[in-house]
Amino acid sequence: MNKKIIITAAITGAVHVPSMSPYLPVTQKEIIEDAVKAYEAGAAVVHIHGRDPKNGQPSSDINIIREIVTGIKSQCDVIICITTGGSIFMSVEERLSCIPSLQPELVSCNAGSTNFVFAAAANRIKDAKYEWEIPHLLNSKDQIFSNTFSGMEKYINTMNEYDTKPEFEVYDGGMINNLAYFYNKGLIKKPIYLQFMMGILGGIPATVENLAYLYRTAKEQLGEFVWSVGAAGKAQLPLTTAALTMGGNIRVGLEDNLFIKPGVLAKSSAEQVMLTREISEKLGLEIATPNEAREILKVKGIDKVGF
Ligand code: KMH
Ligand code: ZN
């Protein structure tokens, strides 16, 4: 069993739209507040996306992201993991811009291309607050979340250049082989940090059997690694709980799941952090502080970021 559990809170993402929940943080202030509350509840890492404060649309605007991460850093020492996934509609350049500009300790790094479909939510929205929302959801059926080998090489090299650690987002088994390829080429440094993202339409279904398969395949292909599990929607609680019993770390947050229990919207990512923390502690596990997580992940330290 893992000595200390790293809880990651994924605060807002680029999938859910404001009409799906009044609690989805979209302004800089809301995102900062939710991230700090998640830290206070026990999250050692917060995963951050930018949003346009006027209408909640996913944004890679570096000034918005800088304001968010600076605001969080001014209130706590949580590890900030900035997305390089952005939204499936963003270019490689847009998605990469946070690294040279902000030089964070940790970023997401998507380990392969995949369908990433979230269109069904459109049927559950009666009159959308903003005109971008329904097309955003429906167009996910026509888009590939592109992470080509050239793109991944560029991502990983850029991260290495700025001593920014990649958190590899793994949506399916083949992506582990992609990482083995880059590791064998000498691009990826140990400890390799894997975030198994399960239950996304286009990726691996969120079942305990599939989690065991991902873990076993990573063991075969990569040897030693640090790993965590995030799962979409109602799979979040069962799969993160399964991960706890397997020695894994966990990711929760409104980016992945808007609910705290079936039919009840979570009021913050912090609510999900508190719930999973209670389960962890009932299993006799301790929660890692941000600095303990820095030790486990070998990230460069909050004093070395560019914001
Ligand atoms: N928003 C999705 C396209 C990441 O942060 O790197 C995937 C995502 C992954 O959020
Ligand atoms: Zn994300």
Side-chain angles (χ1 to χ4, degrees):
M1 288 276 230
N2 222 343
K3 288 95 41 226
K4 296 257 183 175
I5 301 300
I6 299 172
I7 299 180
T8 293
I11 301 302
T12 187
V15 169
H16 295 139
V17 300
S19 296
M20 293 171 73
S21 169
Y23 306 111
L24 184 70
V26 294
T27 67
Q28 291 88 309
K29 181 170 177 294
E30 290 165 347
I31 295 170
I32 292 166
E33 279 173 6
D34 202 50
V36 173
K37 274 168 58 181
Y39 156 79
E40 287 164 350
V45 181
V46 290
H47 171 74
I48 296 298
H49 286 246
R51 294 235 184 196
D52 182 335
K54 291 186 301 303
N55 63 5
Q57 196 157 11
S59 169
S60 61
D61 180 318
I62 199 66
N63 295 315
I64 289 176
I65 296 174
R66 176 181 290 106
E67 185 181 340
I68 292 170
V69 299
T70 305
I72 296 167
K73 180 170 174 265
S74 70
Q75 297 185 55
C76 65
D77 70 341
V78 74
I79 298 173
I80 298 173
C81 173
I82 303 178
T83 181
T84 67
S87 98
I88 59 175
F89 307 106
M90 289 179 190
S91 69
V92 171
E93 289 61 38
E94 281 179 291
R95 292 168 47 184
L96 258 185
S97 61
C98 68
I99 300 175
S101 307
L102 302 171
Q103 302 179 30
E105 290 185 272
L106 187 66
V107 288
S108 59
C109 183
N110 292 272
S113 300
T114 181
N115 289 298
F116 199 117
V117 180
F118 40 90
N123 306 324
R124 297 194 291 272
I125 296 174
K126 295 299 154 270
D127 43 356
K129 279 173 74 175
Y130 302 104
E131 61 186 29
W132 68 268
E133 292 181 299
I134 299 299
H136 171 82
L137 296 169
L138 294 178
N139 293 343
S140 65
K141 288 194 295 190
D142 304 310
Q143 197 73 19
I144 286 283
F145 182 34
S146 171
N147 298 286
T148 63
F149 270 57
S150 308
M152 285 189 278
E153 195 152 342
K154 189 169 179 185
Y155 282 115
I156 297 168
N157 284 330
T158 306
M159 292 163 197
N160 290 341
E161 186 184 347
Y162 291 94
D163 194 13
T164 291
K165 186 163 191 67
E167 172 189 296
F168 292 108
E169 313 299 317
V170 173
Y171 301 93
D172 214 336
M175 295 190 182
I176 296 169
N177 195 41
N178 298 350
L179 295 176
Y181 167 84
F182 287 113
Y183 178 69
N184 294 330
K185 276 186 64 147
L187 267 68
I188 297 178
K189 297 174 207 147
K190 295 243 174 170
I192 300 174
Y193 182 31
L194 305 178
Q195 185 72 255
F196 297 136
M197 285 308 298
M198 304 182 76
I200 287 154
L201 184 53
I204 196 165
T207 65
V208 175
E209 295 80 0
N210 282 340
L211 177 55
Y213 154 71
L214 291 175
Y215 177 79
R216 193 175 58 250
T217 302
K219 273 296 209 195
E220 288 159 9
Q221 301 254 353
L222 301 171
E224 289 312 305
F225 53 92
V226 179
W227 62 285
S228 177
V229 173
K234 59 181 182 300
Q236 182 180 70
L237 192 60
L239 269 293
T240 50
T241 303
L244 290 171
T245 64
M246 293 167 61
N249 300 288
I250 51 180
R251 165 169 147 159
V252 293
L254 300 191
E255 170 168 346
D256 303 333
N257 173 30
L258 291 173
F259 294 85
I260 189 66
K261 59 183 176 186
V264 180
L265 288 171
K267 292 187 175 54
S268 65
S269 294
E271 276 190 7
Q272 295 172 354
V273 172
M274 274 181 265
L275 175 57
T276 199
R277 175 182 187 152
E278 280 162 25
I279 294 171
S280 308
E281 289 169 347
K282 288 236 185 307
L283 289 168
L285 299 165
E286 267 186 273
I287 304 303
T289 64
N291 281 336
E292 288 167 336
R294 288 186 170 91
E295 263 314 296
I296 296 166
L297 299 175
K298 299 284 181 275
V299 294
K300 63 185 173 183
I302 198 159
D303 56 327
K304 305 250 183 356
V305 300
F307 56 89

